[in-house]
Amino acid sequence: MTKAPKEAKPIPSVQVSKPPAKKPAPVAAAAAVAPPAAAPPPVAPPPAVESDTEGVSQGVTYEVAPGPSTVKMSPISGSEIPIEKVPGGVSTISAGEIARLKADYVPDALAHYVPGVILSDVQGNVFQNNVDYRGFTSSPVDGVPQGLAVYQNGVRINEAFGDTVNYDFLPAVAINHMAILSGNPVYGLNAIGGALTIDMKDGFNYQGLETDARFGSFGRAQGSIQDGMQFGNWATYIALEDIHDDGYRDFGTSDIRRMYADLGVRGDGSEFHINFTGADNTFGAAAASPIELLDERWSKIFTSPQSTTNQMEMVSVNGKVKASDTWDLAGVAYYRHFNQQHVDGNISNASPCPILPSGTTTGACFQNLDGTNTLLSDTNGNTILLPNDLTGLGEIDRTSIDANSFGVSLQAVDKERLFDRHNQFLVGASIDHGNVSFRSSAELGFFRPNFIVSGGAGFVGPVAQGCDLTASGDPADGCTPNGATALSDIRPVNISTTNTYYGIFFLDTFDATDRLALTVGGRFNIADLRIHDETGLAPNLNSSPTYTHFNPVAGGTYKLFDGISVYAGYSKANRAPVPAELACADPNQPCLLPSFLTSDPPLKQVVSNTWEAGFRGENTNILTHEKVSWSLGYFRTTNNDDITEVASAIIGRSSFANAGETLRQGLEAQLNYWSGGLFTYMGYNFVEATFQNDLTLPSPFNPAADADGNIFVHPGDRIPGVPAHKFKAGFDYGLTPRWRAGADLIAASNQIFFGDASNQNEPLGGYAKVNLHTSYDVTKNIQIYGLVDNLFDRHYGAYGTFFDVEETNDSGAALGSITFSNPRTIVPAPPITAYGGIKFKFN
């Protein structure tokens, strides 16, 4: 974000490694700690770019400085090598690039600058997006198969229960640098699509005090403050963000409160940091709406309440010491607590039924997939009774996740020359352990206008009475208390899970010649899982699977000319099923994720094989203040025993299954250019994401399904939710020494609806949106700015699936306000929004 400009002479737009002679202004404050291109300095990890480089007054010639020329080859600092030696795809984002967008959410920056990234939205909230990279997903939603390993300051932040990633916990203003790497299994479990590293600011790479206030559309009001100071060998940094947004959809209010703090000390070749991340966030999540509702009004929702509360506290310690002239030792240890409370109003899978042959009393019955019925009782064992004049039976599902995680990673790096050639060898190990308590409950209730569910009919208990209903609707046995005992699919759940992940890894990068660099390495993963039913009523849920796999990597880079190189590589990676998937793998007992779990057969782990090859180049001209960097690459990843989510005939429920082999292959191109006051970029990604086997999958609400509710998938059918084409471009230009303006374009082609893996329906349409931003430096300490997102107010869907039209109409949930005929349901993307803000910066 905005830095106070220098008082006099301009700074060359490509100078990122040498501090100016005068006292540095914030624009160049961190440039002094940039590592040289050839290798990182002995005392890392100061990133290679200043933490904030925007501002154009008083001769500053660019807003976005080039990012660092090195990247970490493992999650732990000290493993950096020049990007030109990485045998795979790499995309980096600096703090300056985040500040240029005025981004307040990490995925937004990824979607703008990384060619292979596009955002999707299952929850219907702008702070709960999925990050899709080359057809692999990183999501905050339990039940979404996770394909990226994500690290913050070397700590794996995939949550213990479902490997989800809650990007809402990260203060955007506190991020110093991000990088996405593909084809590197050293990053451990879930790196089948790639790994995302997020390095935060500290007092060594950021000094100054900055405040920012923003207001705008849909009740947006937000503020942030960051402060960094260095005292000799000690440094402190703290950032706080507070955001309130009423949301662009009904009941979509969000409140975000998050912070990050760091205390660091360095000296004599060593450096240590202790930092804290905390957040307390609440989201109104509206999920998908039938398109017939959205035709009436773009902000309409389908069933509420829907809300999520996320709370997190994490403390981590990381450090590095120089053990000898060539050996560095580094490590990280952490403790993380995560609590989530989710409330979800739905059409109930229960229905009214008479509990006496005479039909004088109405109870609540649940029909199972095998045709049997259970009469529901409340938590006190009393039969749940419903009013005879009931018009719409709803259900409020509640879940809670309470997780405590801790772990440690250690790494040794040797840079001793081998055969008189530069060589970097690293070896390390990690342990990540998580304990999770998961609870759920279902409260029956009644629909009110606008699909709002109110409770009051009773919380469903753990035991239900057998009730064999005849075709006439009369119970054959009267559903008496002496009926057979059964557990219903909406019973309360109380389980505990533990997961312990072990990893041992090594990696060596050797300069075989002045132009050829070779990389070889691997990682051995062990995933030890435990699931235990705390109620004692579902002993079949108890399980203790263990998964192991060794994942090799090999590749090389060759410098064709100065500034132009070619790369190629091969790697394996694996993803073990998580407790949320293992406990929901039986199609006969589907789950309302993240709400309900049942006893299920085991799933196989996913193993990926990735081939990559491409070109990359970089050229810098100090005299003309120009820099250009570019890359062009091909990738091909096959997943064996891929895990997919399949729908159930019971509304809102689904299960998981191994789906054989899947393929994701394509091209990726990126270009960045800096020249004086101009910054411009362009990125393109093509990905062919397809199934490679014949499959029969349940999709009962798909209009193309057969009489049994099944669809038939063939090799070559597209995987749902993955646009084949993604294009993004933008520029930023200094119109005057004080005034900057820029624009960004993000476009994506169509995607297949979830539930339509056989590709028999019209896909979800593609889209293109334009964003604008401008800023004006009133003084060297004050900046005002404006933002416009989705300038042309394009209406498009960010996610698409199907719903049960017949059951919805029969349930009376609409209270006669509408009769549905189209099963397509989508999450509408945000309409045009505008924000204005003011920023203060002091050294």
Side-chain angles (χ1 to χ4, degrees):
M1 293 189 175
T2 301
K3 295 291 184 177
K6 288 186 65 178
E7 296 180 355
K9 64 182 182 180
I11 302 171
S13 62
V14 294
Q15 183 173 342
V16 295
S17 61
K18 182 179 179 180
K22 299 181 65 175
K23 178 182 177 181
V27 175
V33 296
V43 181
V49 65
E50 59 258 41
S51 61
D52 196 335
T53 56
E54 65 170 322
V56 296
S57 61
Q58 306 298 322
V60 178
T61 56
Y62 59 82
E63 181 178 45
V64 180
S69 56
T70 63
V71 67
K72 292 191 292 187
M73 294 299 284
S74 78
I76 306 173
S77 294
S79 60
E80 293 85 356
I81 67 172
I83 290 178
E84 64 182 20
K85 295 184 180 181
V86 179
V90 179
S91 293
T92 64
I93 301 174
S94 68
E97 290 167 314
I98 297 173
R100 170 187 172 272
L101 296 173
K102 307 292 191 294
D104 51 27
Y105 186 47
V106 167
D108 288 335
L110 296 171
H112 277 80
Y113 296 121
V114 180
V117 167
I118 202 74
L119 302 186
S120 61
D121 190 353
V122 178
Q123 292 281 67
N125 188 288
V126 295
F127 296 103
Q128 289 280 277
N129 289 159
N130 290 357
V131 174
D132 297 308
Y133 174 65
R134 294 183 176 180
F136 295 92
T137 302
S138 174
S139 172
V141 181
D142 278 311
V144 176
Q146 307 287 329
L148 291 179
V150 183
Y151 290 83
Q152 176 190 346
N153 288 349
V155 175
R156 187 176 187 270
I157 59 173
N158 295 78
E159 304 292 356
F161 186 62
D163 274 347
T164 56
V165 181
N166 293 288
Y167 293 101
D168 57 286
F169 292 151
L170 299 171
V173 71
I175 294 173
N176 191 55
H177 177 255
M178 296 191 293
I180 282 188
L181 302 89
S182 59
N184 189 343
V186 169
Y187 281 87
L189 293 172
N190 289 91
I192 55 176
L196 170 62
T197 65
I198 303 171
D199 294 315
M200 312 297 283
K201 295 176 183 176
D202 58 51
F204 294 121
N205 58 42
Y206 180 92
Q207 292 94 40
L209 171 66
E210 179 184 275
T211 64
D212 188 347
R214 184 183 308 176
F215 305 90
S217 300
F218 305 108
R220 173 65 69 92
Q222 68 182 74
S224 68
I225 183 170
Q226 61 173 328
D227 181 58
M229 294 182 286
Q230 182 174 354
F231 310 92
N233 292 337
W234 291 84
T236 62
Y237 176 84
I238 186 169
L240 302 97
E241 290 183 341
D242 192 306
I243 305 172
H244 172 83
D245 194 297
D246 290 334
Y248 65 98
R249 301 180 67 192
D250 298 343
F251 309 108
T253 299
S254 298
D255 286 291
I256 311 293
R257 295 167 293 273
R258 56 199 182 193
M259 71 167 294
Y260 175 79
D262 180 272
L263 173 64
V265 60
R266 60 165 56 157
D268 297 327
S270 63
E271 183 166 348
F272 296 91
H273 291 265
I274 180 170
N275 47 67
F276 172 81
T277 308
D280 185 356
N281 303 334
T282 301
F283 312 97
S289 292
I291 61 173
E292 291 166 302
L293 272 184
L294 298 177
D295 287 341
E296 295 181 355
R297 184 163 48 87
W298 193 243
S299 60
K300 277 199 168 185
I301 66 169
F302 183 60
T303 72
S304 67
Q306 295 191 52
S307 66
T308 300
T309 298
N310 286 339
Q311 296 175 320
M312 187 274 296
E313 307 87 35
M314 183 175 76
V315 177
S316 68
V317 178
N318 58 72
K320 187 175 74 170
V321 297
K322 192 167 185 60
S324 70
D325 290 341
T326 61
W327 280 94
D328 289 334
L329 304 178
V332 59
Y334 71 92
Y335 166 76
R336 182 181 181 94
H337 173 247
F338 169 57
N339 182 273
Q340 182 179 83
Q341 305 291 326
H342 184 72
V343 178
D344 188 7
N346 292 291
I347 296 172
S348 181
N349 292 293
S351 59
C353 63
I355 62 172
L356 293 174
S358 62
T360 56
T361 306
T362 300
C365 283
F366 185 91
Q367 185 176 19
N368 301 299
L369 287 175
D370 60 5
T372 62
N373 290 270
T374 54
L375 180 65
L376 302 179
S377 300
D378 62 20
T379 53
N380 295 318
N382 301 315
T383 299
I384 295 178
L385 301 178
L386 302 175
N388 291 323
D389 59 350
L390 177 68
T391 56
L393 183 61
E395 180 179 307
I396 299 178
D397 299 310
R398 295 177 173 86
T399 65
S400 68
I401 298 174
D402 194 78
N404 291 281
S405 305
F406 53 89
V408 61
S409 299
L410 298 173
Q411 172 183 278
V413 177
D414 178 30
K415 296 181 181 178
E416 184 174 3
R417 296 179 70 85
L418 181 64
F419 304 117
D420 202 30
R421 294 284 182 182
H422 181 271
N423 185 74
Q424 176 173 290
F425 173 75
L426 66 87
V427 61
S430 66
I431 300 176
D432 296 278
H433 179 82
N435 296 311
V436 180
S437 174
F438 178 91
R439 297 172 181 265
S440 70
S441 65
E443 180 187 12
L444 298 185
F446 314 102
F447 271 97
R448 306 304 182 195
N450 298 318
F451 298 94
I452 299 173
V453 181
S454 63
F459 283 84
V460 177
V463 178
Q465 303 171 54
C467 185
D468 183 16
L469 295 180
T470 64
S472 64
D474 291 331
D477 63 0
C479 293
T480 63
N482 295 324
T485 299
L487 292 176
S488 77
D489 280 339
I490 56 174
R491 70 192 187 280
V493 170
N494 181 4
I495 66 169
S496 62
T497 70
T498 63
N499 54 275
T500 307
Y501 300 146
Y502 306 91
I504 301 174
F505 56 87
F506 72 95
L507 195 71
D508 188 88
T509 300
F510 172 62
D511 288 357
T513 71
D514 291 339
R515 295 180 178 270
L516 176 64
L518 301 176
T519 297
V520 64
R523 179 176 175 122
F524 184 69
N525 291 323
I526 302 175
D528 187 12
L529 304 170
R530 299 288 186 271
I531 303 175
H532 185 262
D533 170 49
E534 299 296 328
T535 68
L537 300 173
N540 291 334
L541 183 61
N542 301 334
S543 63
S544 56
T546 298
Y547 299 88
T548 63
H549 204 269
F550 176 73
N551 299 313
V553 59
T557 63
Y558 185 79
K559 185 183 295 185
L560 298 173
F561 311 101
D562 287 343
I564 301 178
S565 60
V566 61
Y567 67 87
Y570 166 76
S571 64
K572 276 192 174 186
N574 74 302
R575 179 175 90 81
V578 294
E581 293 169 332
L582 287 169
C584 190
D586 186 352
N588 294 317
Q589 292 182 293
C591 307
L592 179 58
L593 287 172
S595 298
F596 297 95
L597 303 175
T598 53
S599 55
D600 302 298
L603 291 169
K604 299 177 182 178
Q605 65 181 332
V606 183
V607 177
S608 68
N609 293 269
T610 297
W611 295 90
E612 289 193 77
F615 300 85
R616 62 169 62 99
E618 181 176 306
N619 183 58
T620 298
N621 189 323
I622 295 292
L623 297 179
T624 61
H625 300 172
E626 289 182 303
K627 175 176 177 177
V628 61
S629 65
W630 59 273
S631 63
L632 175 65
Y634 166 78
F635 59 90
R636 178 184 175 91
T637 300
T638 58
N639 280 1
N640 296 315
D641 297 316
D642 209 351
I643 296 176
T644 188
E645 183 180 3
V646 294
S648 167
I650 298 178
I651 294 175
R653 280 161 169 75
S654 59
S655 59
F656 294 93
N658 289 114
E661 183 178 310
T662 60
L663 170 67
R664 295 161 179 85
Q665 66 175 346
L667 298 171
E668 200 164 79
Q670 188 170 22
L671 173 67
N672 295 318
Y673 176 72
W674 296 262
S675 177
L678 173 68
F679 165 68
T680 184
Y681 70 94
M682 181 176 64
Y684 170 74
N685 170 261
F686 166 73
V687 58
E688 179 186 21
T690 57
F691 295 96
Q692 297 296 295
N693 298 100
D694 288 310
L695 300 170
T696 299
L697 298 177
S699 186
F701 310 138
N702 186 329
D706 68 6
D708 295 323
N710 294 324
I711 58 175
F712 303 96
V713 181
H714 302 291
D717 285 338
R718 291 172 58 188
I719 296 173
V722 183
H725 303 275
K726 296 177 280 289
F727 178 80
K728 56 270 313 257
F731 75 91
D732 198 90
Y733 185 67
L735 300 170
T736 74
R738 294 179 181 271
W739 181 23
R740 297 196 68 87
D744 300 272
L745 167 69
I746 297 179
S749 60
N750 64 39
Q751 57 183 279
I752 301 300
F753 270 61
F754 284 85
D756 189 29
S758 59
N759 300 182
Q760 293 176 274
N761 294 271
E762 178 185 355
L764 182 66
Y767 64 89
K769 71 169 185 173
V770 174
N771 301 333
L772 300 180
H773 62 268
T774 186
S775 63
Y776 183 79
D777 293 338
V778 180
T779 71
K780 68 177 184 178
N781 301 115
I782 302 174
Q783 182 188 80
I784 57 176
Y785 63 87
L787 308 169
V788 178
D789 291 343
N790 194 2
L791 174 65
F792 300 107
D793 199 22
R794 301 299 188 192
H795 283 196
Y796 61 92
Y799 171 85
T801 187
F802 303 105
F803 78 111
D804 191 338
V805 172
E806 181 179 355
E807 181 66 24
T808 300
N809 290 331
D810 292 344
S811 71
L815 301 181
S817 61
I818 186 173
T819 300
F820 293 104
S821 60
N822 193 325
R824 292 159 62 88
T825 176
I826 68 172
V827 173
I832 182 173
T833 55
Y835 309 104
I838 184 169
K839 190 183 297 184
F840 298 88
K841 170 68 186 182
F842 303 96
N843 248 0

